[in-house]
């Protein structure tokens, strides 16, 4: 079995673990968990903490490495990142906590395994819809076993459906996107990880978000790239710079569409 095939086998094993913990820990707490605020203002629930604990116990059995989770202190995250070049799990136990706590059926578990600070395989799973997106470097991207993308993306930016998070982009760029949009229509769902996967699947054609953390995109970025899409940091920086860096991101379902999207954003920023 070659390296890519081994990674894909591990992605499928990860899918099984994610489905089990989602069924046993996350779904029973849906609509029963109360939002709480961390010191940085972000939200968490008891379900986030318990599912992260369960993943931290289960994941090293699939591949060696510490587990870096969103529900950790910045000091813990920085230490694990610095020590994790030879293997590191990056997880967001519930991406879309507000949706989860409010009963909106759009949230996900997002997990990626990194070597040399680059994702090698990953899973994004919505337990309500039972949609599991997964990918392995060099082995493609899939949704419940079907190869991505599911549909051909738009060819022209003017025909594209865009995923846009207005509240996190600059006021000027947000005004340009709202008043003079270059795309056909716009959506925002409240789960970054799933939005990356929707671009990979062809459900969205282009994407922009003004501020994401590593665990928001570690798995989704790999899934998009393996599906043939392209992405970049909004400021041109390194998306894999570490857990303490919040990045704006842009992405598209095809290289040609990405060039159109990036050119428009650059000229209107």
């Amino acid at each position: 079995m070659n390296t890519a095939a081994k990674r894909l086998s591990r992605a499928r094993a990860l899918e099984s673990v994610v489905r089990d913990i989602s069924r046993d820990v996350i779904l029973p707490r849906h609509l029963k968990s109360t939002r709480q605020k961390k010191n940085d203002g972000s939200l968490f629930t008891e379900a986030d903490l318990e599912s992260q604990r369960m993943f931290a116990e289960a994941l090293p059995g699939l591949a060696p490495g510490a587990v870096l989770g969103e529900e950790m202190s910045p000091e813990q995250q920085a230490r694990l990142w610095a020590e994790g070049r030879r293997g590191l799990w990056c997880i967001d136990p519930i991406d879309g906590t507000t949706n989860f706590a409010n009963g909106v059926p759009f949230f996900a578990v997002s997990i990626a395994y990194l070597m040399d600070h680059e994702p090698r395989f990953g899973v994004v799973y919505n337990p309500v819809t039972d949609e599991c997106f997964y990918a392995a470097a060099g082995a493609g991207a899939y949704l419940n076993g079907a190869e991505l993308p599911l549909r051909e993306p738009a060819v022209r930016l003017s025909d594209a459906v865009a995923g846009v998070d207005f509240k996190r982009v600059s006021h000027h760029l947000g005004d340009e996107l709202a008043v003079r949009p270059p795309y056909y229509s716009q959506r925002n769902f409240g789960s970054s990880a799933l939005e990356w996967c929707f671009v990979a699947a062809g459900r969205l054609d282009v994407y922009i978000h003004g501020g994401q953390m590593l665990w928001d995109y570690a798995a989704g970025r790999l899934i998009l790239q393996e599906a043939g899409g392209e992405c970049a940091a909004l400021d041109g920086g390194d998306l894999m710079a570490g857990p303490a860096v919040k990045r704006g991101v842009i992405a598209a379902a095809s290289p040609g569409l990405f060039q159109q999207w990036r050119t428009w954003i650059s000229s209107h920023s």
Side-chain angles (χ1 to χ4, degrees):
M1 186 182 294
N2 62 32
T3 300
K6 288 178 181 177
R7 290 171 180 162
L8 186 58
S9 177
R10 285 184 167 181
R12 288 171 173 152
L14 174 59
E15 175 188 6
S16 180
V17 171
V18 169
R19 286 180 181 274
D20 288 346
I21 292 177
S22 296
R23 180 194 64 233
D24 296 340
V25 178
I26 296 175
L27 276 180
R29 291 170 169 80
H30 188 211
L31 295 175
K32 298 177 183 177
S33 296
T34 303
R35 296 193 307 268
Q36 301 177 63
K37 277 193 177 182
K38 292 182 282 189
N39 292 335
D40 64 1
S42 59
L43 301 178
F44 72 98
T45 69
E46 184 262 344
D48 293 83
L49 299 179
E50 179 62 14
S51 56
Q52 178 165 288
R53 184 186 69 81
M54 296 291 289
F55 283 122
E57 291 179 0
L59 295 177
L62 296 180
V67 177
L68 188 159
E70 181 185 9
E71 311 309 328
M72 287 180 171
S73 70
E75 293 76 19
Q76 287 176 300
Q77 293 166 350
R79 177 178 58 80
L80 292 175
W81 180 258
E83 298 171 354
R85 281 198 171 273
R86 300 186 68 180
L88 183 68
W89 292 97
C90 181
I91 76 171
D92 190 344
I94 302 178
D95 180 71
T97 298
T98 299
N99 285 352
F100 174 78
N102 281 39
V104 179
F106 200 86
F107 56 88
V109 178
S110 179
I111 299 180
Y113 183 73
L114 282 62
M115 289 284 290
D116 293 321
H117 291 165
E118 282 292 333
R120 303 306 187 194
F121 60 90
V123 164
V124 175
Y125 178 56
N126 182 340
V128 175
T129 61
D130 192 36
E131 288 193 321
C132 189
F133 300 85
Y134 60 92
Y142 305 85
L143 167 57
N144 291 352
E147 191 168 7
L148 298 179
L150 302 178
R151 60 172 288 274
E152 290 297 317
V155 174
R156 298 181 302 179
L157 183 57
S158 59
D159 294 326
V161 175
V164 180
D165 191 316
F166 282 105
K167 67 181 180 291
R168 292 184 175 92
V169 299
S170 69
H171 292 305
H172 174 72
L173 180 57
D175 288 345
E176 290 292 302
L177 288 165
V179 177
R180 287 172 288 276
Y183 42 72
Y184 166 72
S185 189
Q186 170 268 329
R187 300 290 184 271
N188 175 232
F189 297 104
S191 168
S192 302
L194 283 173
E195 288 168 339
W196 278 92
C197 294
F198 274 28
V199 182
R203 294 172 177 174
L204 295 172
D205 298 298
V206 297
Y207 184 51
I208 182 170
H209 191 292
Q212 292 187 355
M213 303 298 284
L214 176 68
W215 42 82
D216 292 319
Y217 57 77
R221 169 179 172 259
L222 174 65
I223 292 167
L224 171 66
Q225 290 175 327
E226 286 296 318
E230 287 195 19
C231 62
L234 190 56
D235 64 0
D238 180 7
L239 279 176
M240 303 306 293
V245 181
K246 183 173 283 191
R247 289 289 191 201
V249 299
I250 57 172
S254 71
L257 199 54
F258 180 77
Q259 292 302 321
Q260 296 175 58
W261 184 221
R262 182 163 63 176
T263 298
W264 187 92
I265 289 171
S266 296
S267 64
H268 291 79
S269 295

PDB file of all heavy atoms in Angstrom, residues 41-66:
ATOM      1  N   GLY A  41     -13.876  35.720  24.425  1.00  0.00           N
ATOM      2  CA  GLY A  41     -15.201  36.047  23.911  1.00  0.00           C
ATOM      3  C   GLY A  41     -15.832  34.974  23.063  1.00  0.00           C
ATOM      4  O   GLY A  41     -17.023  35.056  22.752  1.00  0.00           O
ATOM      5  N   SER A  42     -15.071  33.954  22.658  1.00  0.00           N
ATOM      6  CA  SER A  42     -15.641  32.869  21.870  1.00  0.00           C
ATOM      7  C   SER A  42     -16.485  31.960  22.757  1.00  0.00           C
ATOM      8  O   SER A  42     -16.370  31.963  23.986  1.00  0.00           O
ATOM      9  CB  SER A  42     -14.536  32.070  21.173  1.00  0.00           C
ATOM     10  OG  SER A  42     -13.640  31.518  22.118  1.00  0.00           O
ATOM     11  N   LEU A  43     -17.334  31.164  22.116  1.00  0.00           N
ATOM     12  CA  LEU A  43     -18.311  30.366  22.849  1.00  0.00           C
ATOM     13  C   LEU A  43     -17.892  28.912  22.956  1.00  0.00           C
ATOM     14  O   LEU A  43     -17.155  28.400  22.126  1.00  0.00           O
ATOM     15  CB  LEU A  43     -19.666  30.459  22.148  1.00  0.00           C
ATOM     16  CG  LEU A  43     -20.277  31.851  21.980  1.00  0.00           C
ATOM     17  CD1 LEU A  43     -21.598  31.762  21.232  1.00  0.00           C
ATOM     18  CD2 LEU A  43     -20.466  32.536  23.312  1.00  0.00           C
ATOM     19  N   PHE A  44     -18.394  28.257  24.001  1.00  0.00           N
ATOM     20  CA  PHE A  44     -18.235  26.825  24.134  1.00  0.00           C
ATOM     21  C   PHE A  44     -19.407  26.279  24.935  1.00  0.00           C
ATOM     22  O   PHE A  44     -20.160  27.033  25.570  1.00  0.00           O
ATOM     23  CB  PHE A  44     -16.904  26.460  24.813  1.00  0.00           C
ATOM     24  CG  PHE A  44     -16.864  26.764  26.295  1.00  0.00           C
ATOM     25  CD1 PHE A  44     -17.099  25.769  27.224  1.00  0.00           C
ATOM     26  CD2 PHE A  44     -16.592  28.051  26.744  1.00  0.00           C
ATOM     27  CE1 PHE A  44     -17.068  26.041  28.582  1.00  0.00           C
ATOM     28  CE2 PHE A  44     -16.556  28.330  28.102  1.00  0.00           C
ATOM     29  CZ  PHE A  44     -16.791  27.326  29.030  1.00  0.00           C
ATOM     30  N   THR A  45     -19.583  24.978  24.866  1.00  0.00           N
ATOM     31  CA  THR A  45     -20.611  24.308  25.653  1.00  0.00           C
ATOM     32  C   THR A  45     -19.975  23.095  26.339  1.00  0.00           C
ATOM     33  O   THR A  45     -18.846  22.707  26.038  1.00  0.00           O
ATOM     34  CB  THR A  45     -21.780  23.813  24.780  1.00  0.00           C
ATOM     35  OG1 THR A  45     -21.315  22.736  23.952  1.00  0.00           O
ATOM     36  CG2 THR A  45     -22.357  24.922  23.923  1.00  0.00           C
ATOM     37  N   GLU A  46     -20.725  22.506  27.232  1.00  0.00           N
ATOM     38  CA  GLU A  46     -20.255  21.291  27.895  1.00  0.00           C
ATOM     39  C   GLU A  46     -19.995  20.186  26.879  1.00  0.00           C
ATOM     40  O   GLU A  46     -19.095  19.360  27.053  1.00  0.00           O
ATOM     41  CB  GLU A  46     -21.301  20.843  28.927  1.00  0.00           C
ATOM     42  CG  GLU A  46     -20.910  19.642  29.755  1.00  0.00           C
ATOM     43  CD  GLU A  46     -21.503  18.347  29.227  1.00  0.00           C
ATOM     44  OE1 GLU A  46     -22.442  18.418  28.409  1.00  0.00           O
ATOM     45  OE2 GLU A  46     -21.021  17.283  29.630  1.00  0.00           O
ATOM     46  N   ALA A  47     -20.734  20.189  25.785  1.00  0.00           N
ATOM     47  CA  ALA A  47     -20.535  19.186  24.740  1.00  0.00           C
ATOM     48  C   ALA A  47     -19.186  19.355  24.055  1.00  0.00           C
ATOM     49  O   ALA A  47     -18.548  18.369  23.683  1.00  0.00           O
ATOM     50  CB  ALA A  47     -21.664  19.265  23.718  1.00  0.00           C
ATOM     51  N   ASP A  48     -18.737  20.610  23.859  1.00  0.00           N
ATOM     52  CA  ASP A  48     -17.411  20.853  23.293  1.00  0.00           C
ATOM     53  C   ASP A  48     -16.333  20.219  24.169  1.00  0.00           C
ATOM     54  O   ASP A  48     -15.425  19.536  23.676  1.00  0.00           O
ATOM     55  CB  ASP A  48     -17.129  22.359  23.191  1.00  0.00           C
ATOM     56  CG  ASP A  48     -18.007  23.068  22.193  1.00  0.00           C
ATOM     57  OD1 ASP A  48     -19.145  23.423  22.544  1.00  0.00           O
ATOM     58  OD2 ASP A  48     -17.557  23.294  21.059  1.00  0.00           O
ATOM     59  N   LEU A  49     -16.427  20.460  25.468  1.00  0.00           N
ATOM     60  CA  LEU A  49     -15.399  19.978  26.392  1.00  0.00           C
ATOM     61  C   LEU A  49     -15.380  18.457  26.474  1.00  0.00           C
ATOM     62  O   LEU A  49     -14.315  17.839  26.451  1.00  0.00           O
ATOM     63  CB  LEU A  49     -15.634  20.583  27.777  1.00  0.00           C
ATOM     64  CG  LEU A  49     -15.577  22.116  27.870  1.00  0.00           C
ATOM     65  CD1 LEU A  49     -15.856  22.565  29.302  1.00  0.00           C
ATOM     66  CD2 LEU A  49     -14.243  22.648  27.394  1.00  0.00           C
ATOM     67  N   GLU A  50     -16.554  17.845  26.580  1.00  0.00           N
ATOM     68  CA  GLU A  50     -16.608  16.400  26.726  1.00  0.00           C
ATOM     69  C   GLU A  50     -16.176  15.693  25.442  1.00  0.00           C
ATOM     70  O   GLU A  50     -15.445  14.697  25.490  1.00  0.00           O
ATOM     71  CB  GLU A  50     -18.015  15.959  27.123  1.00  0.00           C
ATOM     72  CG  GLU A  50     -18.204  14.462  27.295  1.00  0.00           C
ATOM     73  CD  GLU A  50     -17.341  13.858  28.389  1.00  0.00           C
ATOM     74  OE1 GLU A  50     -16.777  14.603  29.207  1.00  0.00           O
ATOM     75  OE2 GLU A  50     -17.227  12.614  28.419  1.00  0.00           O
ATOM     76  N   SER A  51     -16.607  16.198  24.294  1.00  0.00           N
ATOM     77  CA  SER A  51     -16.213  15.552  23.042  1.00  0.00           C
ATOM     78  C   SER A  51     -14.720  15.728  22.796  1.00  0.00           C
ATOM     79  O   SER A  51     -14.049  14.802  22.315  1.00  0.00           O
ATOM     80  CB  SER A  51     -17.032  16.093  21.860  1.00  0.00           C
ATOM     81  OG  SER A  51     -16.921  17.497  21.750  1.00  0.00           O
ATOM     82  N   GLN A  52     -14.156  16.894  23.146  1.00  0.00           N
ATOM     83  CA  GLN A  52     -12.716  17.066  22.991  1.00  0.00           C
ATOM     84  C   GLN A  52     -11.965  16.067  23.875  1.00  0.00           C
ATOM     85  O   GLN A  52     -10.942  15.500  23.456  1.00  0.00           O
ATOM     86  CB  GLN A  52     -12.297  18.490  23.344  1.00  0.00           C
ATOM     87  CG  GLN A  52     -10.791  18.708  23.235  1.00  0.00           C
ATOM     88  CD  GLN A  52     -10.398  20.162  23.234  1.00  0.00           C
ATOM     89  OE1 GLN A  52     -10.626  20.875  22.260  1.00  0.00           O
ATOM     90  NE2 GLN A  52      -9.816  20.617  24.328  1.00  0.00           N
ATOM     91  N   ARG A  53     -12.439  15.847  25.088  1.00  0.00           N
ATOM     92  CA  ARG A  53     -11.792  14.875  25.974  1.00  0.00           C
ATOM     93  C   ARG A  53     -11.829  13.474  25.362  1.00  0.00           C
ATOM     94  O   ARG A  53     -10.820  12.749  25.397  1.00  0.00           O
ATOM     95  CB  ARG A  53     -12.499  14.870  27.335  1.00  0.00           C
ATOM     96  CG  ARG A  53     -11.839  13.971  28.367  1.00  0.00           C
ATOM     97  CD  ARG A  53     -12.651  13.888  29.637  1.00  0.00           C
ATOM     98  NE  ARG A  53     -13.893  13.164  29.426  1.00  0.00           N
ATOM     99  CZ  ARG A  53     -13.990  11.828  29.406  1.00  0.00           C
ATOM    100  NH1 ARG A  53     -12.904  11.076  29.549  1.00  0.00           N
ATOM    101  NH2 ARG A  53     -15.159  11.246  29.216  1.00  0.00           N
ATOM    102  N   MET A  54     -12.960  13.112  24.784  1.00  0.00           N
ATOM    103  CA  MET A  54     -13.077  11.791  24.170  1.00  0.00           C
ATOM    104  C   MET A  54     -12.168  11.650  22.955  1.00  0.00           C
ATOM    105  O   MET A  54     -11.523  10.619  22.756  1.00  0.00           O
ATOM    106  CB  MET A  54     -14.530  11.533  23.780  1.00  0.00           C
ATOM    107  CG  MET A  54     -15.499  11.458  24.955  1.00  0.00           C
ATOM    108  SD  MET A  54     -15.227   9.992  25.974  1.00  0.00           S
ATOM    109  CE  MET A  54     -15.810   8.707  24.869  1.00  0.00           C
ATOM    110  N   PHE A  55     -12.095  12.695  22.140  1.00  0.00           N
ATOM    111  CA  PHE A  55     -11.203  12.649  20.983  1.00  0.00           C
ATOM    112  C   PHE A  55      -9.737  12.573  21.423  1.00  0.00           C
ATOM    113  O   PHE A  55      -8.935  11.856  20.812  1.00  0.00           O
ATOM    114  CB  PHE A  55     -11.416  13.865  20.081  1.00  0.00           C
ATOM    115  CG  PHE A  55     -12.646  13.780  19.232  1.00  0.00           C
ATOM    116  CD1 PHE A  55     -13.638  14.752  19.312  1.00  0.00           C
ATOM    117  CD2 PHE A  55     -12.829  12.732  18.343  1.00  0.00           C
ATOM    118  CE1 PHE A  55     -14.777  14.674  18.530  1.00  0.00           C
ATOM    119  CE2 PHE A  55     -13.969  12.645  17.557  1.00  0.00           C
ATOM    120  CZ  PHE A  55     -14.946  13.620  17.653  1.00  0.00           C
ATOM    121  N   ALA A  56      -9.384  13.309  22.472  1.00  0.00           N
ATOM    122  CA  ALA A  56      -8.003  13.290  22.956  1.00  0.00           C
ATOM    123  C   ALA A  56      -7.592  11.891  23.406  1.00  0.00           C
ATOM    124  O   ALA A  56      -6.424  11.508  23.290  1.00  0.00           O
ATOM    125  CB  ALA A  56      -7.828  14.284  24.094  1.00  0.00           C
ATOM    126  N   GLU A  57      -8.539  11.112  23.900  1.00  0.00           N
ATOM    127  CA  GLU A  57      -8.255   9.745  24.301  1.00  0.00           C
ATOM    128  C   GLU A  57      -8.158   8.809  23.097  1.00  0.00           C
ATOM    129  O   GLU A  57      -7.319   7.897  23.075  1.00  0.00           O
ATOM    130  CB  GLU A  57      -9.354   9.239  25.246  1.00  0.00           C
ATOM    131  CG  GLU A  57      -9.371   9.909  26.609  1.00  0.00           C
ATOM    132  CD  GLU A  57     -10.499   9.379  27.482  1.00  0.00           C
ATOM    133  OE1 GLU A  57     -11.259   8.498  27.023  1.00  0.00           O
ATOM    134  OE2 GLU A  57     -10.623   9.860  28.625  1.00  0.00           O
ATOM    135  N   ALA A  58      -8.989   9.036  22.074  1.00  0.00           N
ATOM    136  CA  ALA A  58      -9.106   8.075  20.975  1.00  0.00           C
ATOM    137  C   ALA A  58      -8.101   8.299  19.842  1.00  0.00           C
ATOM    138  O   ALA A  58      -7.614   7.339  19.241  1.00  0.00           O
ATOM    139  CB  ALA A  58     -10.527   8.116  20.406  1.00  0.00           C
ATOM    140  N   LEU A  59      -7.788   9.547  19.534  1.00  0.00           N
ATOM    141  CA  LEU A  59      -7.039   9.833  18.307  1.00  0.00           C
ATOM    142  C   LEU A  59      -5.606   9.313  18.288  1.00  0.00           C
ATOM    143  O   LEU A  59      -5.157   8.817  17.241  1.00  0.00           O
ATOM    144  CB  LEU A  59      -7.061  11.345  18.026  1.00  0.00           C
ATOM    145  CG  LEU A  59      -8.446  11.925  17.711  1.00  0.00           C
ATOM    146  CD1 LEU A  59      -8.353  13.435  17.519  1.00  0.00           C
ATOM    147  CD2 LEU A  59      -9.063  11.261  16.495  1.00  0.00           C
ATOM    148  N   PRO A  60      -4.841   9.410  19.378  1.00  0.00           N
ATOM    149  CA  PRO A  60      -3.464   8.889  19.304  1.00  0.00           C
ATOM    150  C   PRO A  60      -3.386   7.405  18.980  1.00  0.00           C
ATOM    151  O   PRO A  60      -2.332   6.931  18.539  1.00  0.00           O
ATOM    152  CB  PRO A  60      -2.913   9.192  20.711  1.00  0.00           C
ATOM    153  CG  PRO A  60      -3.706  10.380  21.175  1.00  0.00           C
ATOM    154  CD  PRO A  60      -5.091  10.129  20.645  1.00  0.00           C
ATOM    155  N   GLY A  61      -4.475   6.674  19.145  1.00  0.00           N
ATOM    156  CA  GLY A  61      -4.491   5.270  18.751  1.00  0.00           C
ATOM    157  C   GLY A  61      -4.540   5.078  17.250  1.00  0.00           C
ATOM    158  O   GLY A  61      -4.201   3.997  16.743  1.00  0.00           O
ATOM    159  N   LEU A  62      -4.954   6.114  16.499  1.00  0.00           N
ATOM    160  CA  LEU A  62      -4.997   6.043  15.035  1.00  0.00           C
ATOM    161  C   LEU A  62      -3.668   6.450  14.403  1.00  0.00           C
ATOM    162  O   LEU A  62      -3.273   5.899  13.379  1.00  0.00           O
ATOM    163  CB  LEU A  62      -6.109   6.949  14.496  1.00  0.00           C
ATOM    164  CG  LEU A  62      -7.542   6.603  14.869  1.00  0.00           C
ATOM    165  CD1 LEU A  62      -8.492   7.609  14.234  1.00  0.00           C
ATOM    166  CD2 LEU A  62      -7.897   5.197  14.438  1.00  0.00           C
ATOM    167  N   ALA A  63      -3.022   7.446  14.999  1.00  0.00           N
ATOM    168  CA  ALA A  63      -1.732   7.927  14.505  1.00  0.00           C
ATOM    169  C   ALA A  63      -1.039   8.651  15.649  1.00  0.00           C
ATOM    170  O   ALA A  63      -1.701   9.344  16.430  1.00  0.00           O
ATOM    171  CB  ALA A  63      -1.912   8.868  13.307  1.00  0.00           C
ATOM    172  N   PRO A  64       0.269   8.517  15.778  1.00  0.00           N
ATOM    173  CA  PRO A  64       0.960   9.101  16.933  1.00  0.00           C
ATOM    174  C   PRO A  64       0.989  10.620  16.879  1.00  0.00           C
ATOM    175  O   PRO A  64       1.203  11.219  15.828  1.00  0.00           O
ATOM    176  CB  PRO A  64       2.373   8.520  16.821  1.00  0.00           C
ATOM    177  CG  PRO A  64       2.535   8.188  15.371  1.00  0.00           C
ATOM    178  CD  PRO A  64       1.171   7.765  14.892  1.00  0.00           C
ATOM    179  N   GLY A  65       0.751  11.239  18.025  1.00  0.00           N
ATOM    180  CA  GLY A  65       0.801  12.693  18.101  1.00  0.00           C
ATOM    181  C   GLY A  65      -0.108  13.222  19.178  1.00  0.00           C
ATOM    182  O   GLY A  65      -1.113  12.591  19.526  1.00  0.00           O
ATOM    183  N   ALA A  66       0.242  14.379  19.708  1.00  0.00           N
ATOM    184  CA  ALA A  66      -0.594  15.042  20.698  1.00  0.00           C
ATOM    185  C   ALA A  66      -1.835  15.623  20.017  1.00  0.00           C
ATOM    186  O   ALA A  66      -1.892  15.747  18.790  1.00  0.00           O
ATOM    187  CB  ALA A  66       0.198  16.141  21.395  1.00  0.00           C
TER     188      ALA A  66
END
